[in-house]
Amino acid sequence: SQSACLNLLGVKGANKEEAGANARLLATVVAGSVLAGELSLMSAISAGQLVSSHMKYNRSSKDVTKVAS
């Protein structure tokens, strides 16, 4: 599955024209994904939704937001 994902991104194997080009492109994709996650986290914190969503969607069998109210 890792090979298939790298193939979808077009970064599988060595680049024949320029050494390290595929590694740089993969690093750019990973950095963009991390940046998007961080922006999403900061928006949830600033909107005050982070704690409430963690409490609502936790892995326990009951919704603890009703208990806290």
Side-chain angles (χ1 to χ4, degrees), residues 9-37:
L9 292 171
V11 296
K12 182 179 176 192
N15 189 309
K16 293 179 176 45
E17 290 83 33
E18 183 182 354
N22 286 352
R24 281 191 297 279
L25 180 57
L26 180 60
T28 302
V29 169
V30 170
S33 300
V34 170
L35 179 60

Side-chain angles (χ1 to χ4, degrees), residues 37-58 65:
E38 290 295 318
L39 289 173
S40 176
L41 175 63
M42 287 191 303
S43 68
I45 290 171
S46 64
Q49 298 173 346
L50 184 67
V51 174
S52 63
S53 64
H54 273 85
M55 296 301 283
K56 183 174 181 181
Y57 299 111
N58 67 359
T65 56

